[in-house]
Amino acid sequence: MAEILIAEDEKNVREGLEDLFVGAGYAVRSVADGEAVVKACAKRRPDLLLLDVMMPAKDGFAALTELRRKDATLPIIMLTARGDQIDKVKGLGLGADDYVTKPFDVEELLARVARALARTAALNEGTIENVRTTEDSANLDGDAPFPFAKGLVDPIRLQLTGIQIAPISLTPREVGILRLLVRHPGEPLGRDHLLGTLWGVGYAGSTRTLDQHIAQLRKKLGRQASCIETISGIGYRYMPSTVV
């Protein structure tokens, strides 16, 4: 039975989420502030974390930053009542796997949690082909460094070096995006293809999730961001010839 840790300061929302996931067959723990969620994860790692943004003691962004320093692979879905896209970009850039905006549809939330858990289980069991398209599954999870733009991506250290003076920190999802783009230079990759490959074939979320990850990557890349080209109505492509 998978265990979900819920970090939510609003009592009614927290209790509603507890009832929802217990009823869906999950084991559940819950905390009400950012300090408590960091301690709870250190005491016993959950299978997935639902992390609210606005919490006392330590907000969700601060808690996420601290958690990601210690655990790069814990599935984390942000819960936010804010409509500002910059907050979503910030959460994804700090390492969140997904976000859900309140008020959320319970079926959508259950589907996103189930997909995140299925993908993690497949990675752990070495059967990622079950949740990815077969075309790109073979090399997406390798540990060998690979070139991108004028730099080098290190999947183990989650860093991109050679572009700025200091290494650029990456999330596991960002490493996957860069690897997939590099494997198809000059080729337009559709948003659905990218989502199906990196988030899983049955991913139920919006393509905006991918767009937010790309936006955050471009911000990190600075001048080198021009090599990730947007194809209107389709998706993205990697153009190494445009690297400056």
Side-chain angles (χ1 to χ4, degrees):
M1 179 187 297
E3 181 183 74
I4 296 174
L5 177 60
I6 299 168
E8 167 62 63
D9 66 312
E10 294 185 34
K11 185 173 183 289
N12 290 339
V13 176
R14 185 173 65 251
E15 292 179 348
L17 288 169
E18 291 172 357
D19 292 342
L20 173 66
F21 286 102
V22 168
Y26 295 99
V28 174
R29 285 186 291 154
S30 65
V31 295
D33 65 69
E35 291 283 2
V37 72
V38 172
K39 293 177 181 178
C41 287
K43 183 177 181 180
R44 186 173 76 246
R45 186 185 193 271
D47 294 298
L48 182 140
L49 171 62
L50 289 177
L51 181 63
D52 187 36
V53 170
M54 299 299 293
M55 291 188 297
K58 188 190 297 282
D59 69 19
F61 295 135
L64 175 62
T65 299
E66 187 169 345
L67 290 169
R68 277 293 180 241
R69 283 199 295 263
K70 303 171 183 177
D71 190 334
T73 61
L74 172 66
I76 300 177
I77 297 177
M78 301 290 289
L79 300 176
T80 175
R82 299 178 178 182
D84 194 340
Q85 290 295 100
I86 195 170
D87 286 332
K88 298 170 184 177
V89 171
K90 182 177 180 180
L92 293 170
L94 290 172
D97 295 284
D98 202 352
Y99 64 84
V100 177
T101 303
K102 301 176 188 174
F104 44 77
D105 179 85
V106 294
E107 293 300 326
E108 178 186 355
L109 179 58
L110 286 171
R112 293 195 184 201
V113 166
R115 176 51 47 188
L117 289 170
R119 183 179 182 279
T120 300
L123 284 168
N124 291 338
E125 296 169 6
T127 57
I128 193 61
E129 293 83 359
N130 291 336
V131 292
R132 286 193 175 144
T133 55
T134 57
E135 175 187 358
D136 297 299
S137 63
N139 297 315
L140 280 173
D141 298 301
D143 292 333
F146 61 92
F148 183 85
K150 291 185 176 180
L152 188 70
V153 177
D154 187 330
I156 294 186
R157 292 185 175 85
L158 296 177
Q159 292 180 340
L160 173 59
T161 57
I163 289 181
Q164 300 177 3
I165 295 175
I168 298 171
S169 296
L170 300 171
T171 67
R173 191 81 72 183
E174 288 169 348
V175 170
I177 292 172
L178 294 180
R179 190 191 298 276
L180 185 54
L181 290 172
V182 165
R183 292 187 65 224
H184 298 272
E187 178 183 341
L189 298 178
R191 286 181 172 83
D192 289 339
H193 174 75
L194 286 161
L195 283 168
T197 303
L198 295 162
W199 273 259
V201 174
Y203 177 69
S206 166
T207 57
R208 288 296 299 163
T209 299
L210 172 65
D211 295 337
Q212 299 292 355
H213 276 81
I214 295 291
Q216 185 62 28
L217 270 172
R218 284 173 167 161
K219 182 178 179 181
K220 292 181 178 182
L221 289 168
R223 293 180 62 198
Q224 304 295 318
S226 61
C227 66
I228 302 179
E229 181 178 316
T230 300
I231 308 299
S232 180
I234 298 175
Y236 302 93
R237 67 180 168 190
Y238 174 53
M239 298 294 289
S241 61
T242 66
V243 173
V244 294

